[in-house]
Amino acid sequence: MGESRGGGCCPSMDLMRSETMQLVQLIVPMESAHLTVSYLGDLGLVQFKDLNSEKSPFQRTYAAQIKRCGEMARKIRFFKDQMSKAGVLPKEMLEKEIDIDLDDVEVKLGELEAELVEINANNDKLQRSYNELMEYKLVLQKAGEFFSSAHRSATAQQREIESQQTGEDLLESPLLQEEKAIDSTKQVKLGFLTGLVPREKSMVFERILFRATRGNIFIRQTVIEEPVIDPNSGEKAEKNVFVVFYSGERAKSKILKICEAFGANRYPFSEDLGRQAQMITEVSGRLSELKTTIDAGLGHRNILLQSIGDKFELWNLKVRKEKAIYHTLNMLSLDVTKKCLVAEGWSPVFASKEIQDALQRAAVDSNSQVGSIFQVLRTKESPPTYFRTNKFTSAIQEIVDAYGVAKYQEANPGVFTIVTFPFLFAVMFGDWGHGICILLATMYLILREKKLSSQKLGDIMEMAFGGRYVILMMSIFSIYTGLIYNEFFSIPYPLFAPSAYDCRDASCSEATTIGLIKVRDTYPFGLDPVWHGTRSELPFLNSLKMKMSILLGVSQMNLGIIMSYFNARFFKSSVNIWFQFIPQMIFLNSLFGYLSVLIIIKWCTGSQADLYHVMIYMFLSPTDELGENQLFPHQKIVQLVLLFLALVSVPCMLLPKPFILKKQHEARHQGQSYAPLDETDESLHVETNGGSHGHEEFEFSEIFVHQLIHTIEFVLGAVSNTASYLRLWALSLAHSELSSVFYEKVLLLAWGYNNVLILIVGIIVFIFATVGVLLVMETLSAFLHALRLHWVEFQNKFYEGDGYKFAPFTFIFTANEDE
């Protein structure tokens, strides 16, 4: 597979390149296959290829085992749900547990599930009975009050009538009696139904009953103050007790149907007051017994869940591992005649010894009489990209990979992004007071990372925690640039020395630099604090930060072009060196490199030359005299030469490369009608960008159009990308001005009122504005702009990002993944 850069037992020493990969073939005996895959999963350095892609999941060898593991995983999810409802937390595995047998786990899970399901079923029945009895008790109490009230009213009415009309026994008359006497032969016995109806349905319930019976009912409802648990749904609901009096079986049938439709629970009730008291006593006794039984059942259930929680993590990890192992085994090709499995996969070259050790250990532990075979295959297939990262570099690598995963052994921008990303962020965010605030928040995440890594965090907190070391670097660089800008919440401090300037006399005002004379040495580090608050502060800082942005932008774009040289040199593409790297360097530096040199000369000499005029008329009138805008001798000749080089570099980028590639293709395939038979034995070959296409068909028109687009993109991009770096100046200015506004218009304004309440309100508004706008929104804004500068302005100079990431089979994340 090509020579290993960095040796066979240690990682590559070239930090910019991904690890050298190899396609390996493993021939594993059936009896040791399971243990072999398990050991390779612990190692986490092999990405298996699916050799059974033409088969459906049900046609594969280990489909039954996967189904079995899936059933066990379902039981574990059931246990997790039950423990969550009961408030039982799984016990953490403090140390590596002794390996357990999957068959024992399956049997144990089945027994525990059956027992827990039975306990839940019994508890549900008891709880339903308890809720029904609670509703029954409320019906007895509320309806009993109604009947008692009606009985007292009837008794009082009887006594009143007896005093006026003797000999007539009204007490034995029905509870509801018409005002005028009726013939005893025409009296109708009234029936009644009692129960509970949901309160939100009570008015509609009453109206439907009235209409269905054409008004031949009498209904009374009483509100229950406290919500009750519905026996059917098990949820709390507000309900009313109702009593419906009716006449006739036909009316009763209609009422029963309406009660069923409205979810009204009906309960039997006796008109006899003595019987009512007896029923309330019986129901209360049964409720007490059920409560005791339910509590005992819940106690037993909690004990069972506690015992499950003690082994939950162990069982969960075991089942997940087994399921992952069988999924991987299904990717292996089965050789029935030789009783072995054949696997193919990618692995780093430095891991060969570890993989062979794992194979040998699996053969010994499984008592296999035949060892596994490890051999390297030759292939034309492009390998995956693998960069070894740690908790410090992983977030930066994720930022790079979000743009696109590097092509195999392409130069990795992450090596430089570790420094340039937080630095460009800090250029836009420079304030050492705000930087300290972010640093303190980040230190909290870092110092508590062990505890926070095991907790469930929100989406925003999860992102912040994952990028904690990037934010740490951003805060440190923000403190550094804040010291250069001399801004602490927009307040300047003479930290390193007194200001180099002082007032000429007592009439000198702080709002002007007129009258200031230099009395000391130049301020040693950063911006002299005397600039802040003066009339010339904004023009001076604008000029400084704008020119600094151009210098930083041109430097980073040059770095990107230099990286393209190292890519071309690594992939041995001299065409890209001579007709891509060199013309691009000439074009960029003939224009904007020259501008950067003029900026530095102007700073060093203190010249008053107008650089806008110099650059514009370099194109419009290159032969005109520069006059007062001349910064060094023979500047006009230098500009003419640079302009000529920039114009010549454009056709050098466009024309030679397509014709050279065409010629190389014709020379490589001259006189060949068929591909050579030994082509598969060649070393691994990765095509360079736009280079040879190997055995693929060569389309000159496509290559030429691609090169034309690439040239136009670079020429126009050189201008737009340089202008894009001015966002460093714009956001830095915006951050500084916002910070100044919050300080002067909120904090100082509140301080000037000499009122404690106004001062407290002003401090609170200042804190919330600083945190919400400057520490959150401005941080996010600067982060996104720094991200754009790296993805578009820097990486597009050399980074293709059309590879795919190395995804080895590993157990590291198995415990945290959801099914």
Side-chain angles (χ1 to χ4, degrees):
M1 156 158 171
E3 64 173 326
S4 167
R5 295 174 177 85
C9 60
C10 61
S12 172
M13 298 302 292
D14 189 350
L15 294 176
M16 289 195 301
R17 305 293 169 187
S18 61
E19 299 294 341
T20 306
M21 306 297 288
Q22 60 187 0
L23 181 63
V24 299
Q25 185 182 65
L26 310 177
I27 302 176
V28 186
M30 290 289 291
E31 59 269 18
S32 63
H34 182 278
L35 205 56
T36 298
V37 172
S38 177
Y39 287 169
L40 292 177
D42 292 330
L43 192 61
L45 288 172
V46 179
Q47 176 180 329
F48 289 96
K49 297 176 65 176
D50 190 359
L51 303 180
N52 297 316
S53 57
E54 73 284 354
K55 294 183 179 179
S56 69
F58 303 104
Q59 295 174 327
R60 304 198 179 197
T61 309
Y62 295 94
Q65 287 83 345
I66 291 177
K67 183 179 180 181
R68 176 188 174 196
C69 292
E71 179 63 19
M72 285 188 280
R74 181 197 61 78
K75 294 174 182 177
I76 288 176
R77 290 196 300 272
F78 170 69
F79 294 150
K80 183 178 181 179
D81 181 59
Q82 293 296 308
M83 287 191 295
S84 177
K85 290 179 179 179
V88 177
L89 296 176
K91 181 181 176 182
E92 295 183 3
M93 292 191 299
L94 301 179
E95 57 184 15
K96 190 171 180 63
E97 301 278 354
I98 300 174
D99 194 20
I100 52 177
D101 186 67
L102 188 64
D103 295 333
D104 296 338
V105 174
E106 185 178 25
V107 172
K108 189 67 176 176
L109 291 178
E111 293 174 352
L112 290 173
E113 184 194 31
E115 184 177 358
L116 189 57
V117 167
E118 184 179 359
I119 291 175
N120 288 342
N122 293 335
N123 182 69
D124 291 343
K125 290 179 182 178
L126 293 173
Q127 194 65 46
R128 180 185 176 91
S129 300
Y130 181 83
N131 294 335
E132 288 178 347
L133 287 175
M134 283 296 297
E135 286 194 346
Y136 192 18
K137 184 178 180 180
L138 290 170
V139 169
L140 292 174
Q141 291 173 346
K142 298 295 183 179
E145 291 174 2
F146 167 68
F147 275 87
S148 298
S149 174
H151 191 273
R152 287 193 297 270
S153 177
T155 304
Q157 186 180 11
Q158 180 189 17
R159 289 173 181 171
E160 183 180 351
I161 293 176
E162 281 180 350
S163 63
Q164 300 175 359
Q165 190 177 15
T166 59
E168 185 175 358
D169 188 5
L170 295 177
L171 189 60
E172 298 301 325
S173 64
L175 186 63
L176 300 178
Q177 181 175 356
E178 298 179 358
E179 293 184 358
K180 61 181 182 177
I182 56 176
D183 188 13
S184 60
T185 58
K186 295 183 180 180
Q187 289 183 3
V188 179
K189 179 68 175 177
L190 293 179
F192 63 89
L193 293 172
T194 57
L196 290 94
V197 66
R199 190 172 302 169
E200 67 272 9
K201 300 179 181 179
S202 59
M203 297 303 296
V204 181
F205 176 69
E206 186 173 337
R207 191 178 300 116
I208 294 296
L209 283 175
F210 186 83
R211 290 178 179 176
T213 58
R214 297 183 181 181
N216 293 321
I217 60 154
F218 177 74
I219 183 169
R220 286 290 300 272
Q221 294 194 56
T222 305
V223 175
I224 300 174
E225 293 78 10
E226 297 294 330
V228 297
I229 300 177
D230 187 79
N232 298 320
S233 64
E235 298 178 356
K236 284 189 175 183
E238 294 182 338
K239 292 189 175 185
N240 290 354
V241 174
F242 68 86
V243 181
V244 181
F245 292 90
Y246 61 88
S247 174
E249 289 298 321
R250 187 175 180 181
K252 179 181 180 180
S253 176
K254 290 181 178 180
I255 294 170
L256 291 176
K257 291 180 179 178
I258 293 171
C259 287
E260 184 177 353
F262 277 83
N265 299 326
R266 295 173 289 102
Y267 296 97
F269 188 81
S270 174
E271 193 174 355
D272 185 7
L273 297 180
R275 178 61 179 161
Q276 291 176 19
Q278 181 183 356
M279 292 172 69
I280 290 176
T281 304
E282 292 178 359
V283 170
S284 299
R286 289 180 61 190
L287 282 172
S288 178
E289 293 174 0
L290 279 175
K291 182 66 175 174
T292 304
T293 307
I294 289 172
D295 290 341
L298 291 176
H300 177 60
R301 181 172 176 268
N302 285 337
I303 293 173
L304 179 63
L305 291 175
Q306 287 285 359
S307 65
I308 292 173
D310 292 341
K311 296 289 185 181
F312 179 82
E313 292 296 342
L314 178 63
W315 293 338
N316 188 30
L317 187 60
K318 178 67 176 178
V319 172
R320 289 175 185 272
K321 277 189 174 183
E322 291 295 324
K323 191 173 182 180
I325 289 171
Y326 285 120
H327 270 299
T328 304
L329 287 172
N330 270 341
M331 299 169 69
L332 276 54
S333 176
L334 177 63
D335 190 339
V336 181
T337 58
K338 297 182 180 179
K339 301 292 183 182
C340 62
L341 291 170
V342 179
E344 290 182 10
W346 294 102
S347 73
V349 171
F350 71 83
S352 298
K353 182 69 166 58
E354 298 175 60
I355 295 172
Q356 292 177 19
D357 290 343
L359 295 177
Q360 185 177 0
R361 192 155 35 94
V364 173
D365 293 347
S366 61
N367 298 321
S368 175
Q369 297 179 354
V370 181
S372 300
I373 299 175
F374 174 91
Q375 58 184 0
V376 179
L377 300 179
R378 307 296 180 182
T379 179
K380 291 284 187 179
E381 184 179 350
S382 180
T385 302
Y386 175 42
F387 294 108
R388 301 215 298 180
T389 59
N390 52 37
K391 62 183 180 182
F392 181 81
T393 60
S394 59
I396 287 290
Q397 192 61 53
E398 287 296 326
I399 289 176
V400 174
D401 290 345
Y403 176 83
V405 178
K407 187 175 68 174
Y408 176 63
Q409 294 201 329
E410 182 182 14
N412 182 19
V415 177
F416 301 97
T417 305
I418 292 175
V419 176
T420 59
F421 183 86
F423 177 70
L424 291 185
F425 168 87
V427 170
M428 296 179 275
F429 192 78
D431 187 303
W432 62 280
H434 297 153
I436 290 174
C437 293
I438 298 177
L439 178 63
L440 294 175
T442 311
M443 291 306 298
Y444 170 80
L445 297 176
I446 292 174
L447 294 175
R448 296 175 62 87
E449 65 180 11
K450 287 187 177 179
K451 184 176 181 180
L452 293 174
S453 61
S454 60
Q455 293 180 355
K456 182 69 175 177
L457 304 174
D459 292 339
I460 297 178
M461 275 299 296
E462 189 74 33
M463 287 190 292
F465 179 73
R468 59 194 180 279
Y469 288 102
V470 178
I471 303 175
L472 174 67
M473 295 287 288
M474 288 158 50
S475 63
I476 293 173
F477 276 101
S478 296
I479 295 173
Y480 169 72
T481 55
L483 291 173
I484 292 179
Y485 297 157
N486 203 343
E487 290 188 4
F488 178 82
F489 296 99
S490 80
I491 308 170
Y493 285 97
L495 294 176
F496 303 100
S499 173
Y501 298 90
D502 207 347
C503 288
R504 187 189 306 273
D505 51 47
S507 64
C508 178
S509 171
E510 293 181 0
T512 177
T513 54
I514 299 175
L516 292 178
I517 57 173
K518 188 171 183 179
V519 295
R520 303 179 189 89
D521 293 335
T522 304
Y523 194 72
F525 183 82
L527 193 66
D528 194 315
V530 77
W531 284 102
H532 289 271
T534 63
R535 288 184 302 179
S536 54
E537 176 191 9
L538 198 57
F540 171 72
L541 290 180
N542 274 343
S543 175
L544 172 68
K545 293 181 177 180
M546 181 174 65
K547 292 179 173 64
M548 182 183 65
S549 300
I550 293 175
L551 292 178
L552 293 174
V554 173
S555 300
Q556 192 175 31
M557 288 191 291
N558 270 293
L559 175 62
I561 297 174
I562 292 171
M563 293 296 295
S564 71
Y565 163 76
F566 286 106
N567 270 340
R569 182 180 174 185
F570 181 85
F571 292 119
K572 297 180 176 59
S573 176
S574 58
V575 175
N576 286 342
I577 294 176
W578 290 102
F579 301 106
Q580 182 168 304
F581 163 71
I582 293 178
Q584 287 181 356
M585 286 293 289
I586 292 174
F587 182 86
L588 181 66
N589 291 292
S590 295
L591 303 179
F592 301 104
Y594 173 63
L595 173 61
S596 302
V597 172
L598 292 181
I599 291 172
I600 296 173
I601 293 174
K602 184 176 179 180
W603 279 349
C604 294
T605 61
S607 171
Q608 298 298 316
D610 186 357
L611 298 186
Y612 295 108
H613 184 279
V614 172
M615 292 304 297
I616 290 173
Y617 283 93
M618 179 180 173
F619 293 94
L620 298 181
S621 302
T623 58
D624 290 355
E625 295 295 332
L626 296 173
E628 61 182 10
N629 291 322
Q630 183 166 333
L631 289 167
F632 56 89
H634 309 293
Q635 183 178 349
K636 186 176 74 170
I637 298 175
V638 172
Q639 289 186 176
L640 288 171
V641 171
L642 292 176
L643 187 60
F644 174 75
L645 290 175
L647 294 175
V648 169
S649 63
V650 175
C652 289
M653 279 187 281
L654 173 63
L655 299 175
K657 186 177 175 180
F659 290 99
I660 292 174
L661 293 178
K662 181 181 180 182
K663 186 176 180 181
Q664 289 178 350
H665 177 78
E666 291 173 351
R668 189 165 49 247
H669 294 278
Q670 187 175 4
Q672 293 184 2
S673 301
Y674 301 96
L677 294 175
D678 59 347
E679 187 179 16
T680 56
D681 293 332
E682 295 176 3
S683 298
L684 176 67
H685 173 71
V686 182
E687 297 169 5
T688 57
N689 40 333
S692 61
H693 287 248
H695 58 277
E696 294 180 3
E697 185 178 354
F698 185 87
E699 289 288 344
F700 177 77
S701 59
E702 292 183 7
I703 298 297
F704 190 84
V705 170
H706 177 271
Q707 191 64 25
L708 176 64
I709 294 172
H710 184 77
T711 303
I712 295 173
E713 181 184 11
F714 179 81
V715 171
L716 298 180
V719 180
S720 63
N721 292 167
T722 305
S724 182
Y725 277 95
L726 294 177
R727 72 185 66 236
L728 298 174
W729 156 52
L731 266 76
S732 175
L733 180 65
H735 185 88
S736 176
E737 291 302 310
L738 278 174
S739 181
S740 178
V741 167
F742 291 150
Y743 173 70
E744 294 176 1
K745 302 302 182 183
V746 177
L747 197 59
L748 292 184
L749 193 64
W751 184 273
Y753 280 96
N754 294 324
N755 185 298
V756 177
L757 182 60
I758 294 177
L759 180 60
I760 293 174
V761 172
I763 292 174
I764 293 174
V765 172
F766 176 76
I767 291 173
F768 276 93
T770 300
V771 173
V773 177
L774 297 177
L775 296 183
V776 177
M777 294 177 61
E778 279 286 302
T779 301
L780 182 60
S781 175
F783 181 92
L784 293 175
H785 283 284
L787 193 65
R788 181 241 153 77
L789 289 177
H790 280 79
W791 279 359
V792 179
E793 277 70 31
F794 174 53
Q795 291 181 189
N796 75 345
K797 301 292 185 296
F798 68 98
Y799 189 64
E800 292 190 16
D802 57 353
Y804 63 102
K805 190 180 293 188
F806 178 57
F809 171 62
T810 178
F811 295 135
I812 293 177
F813 301 107
T814 303
N816 298 324
E817 291 175 352
D818 293 330
E819 288 291 334

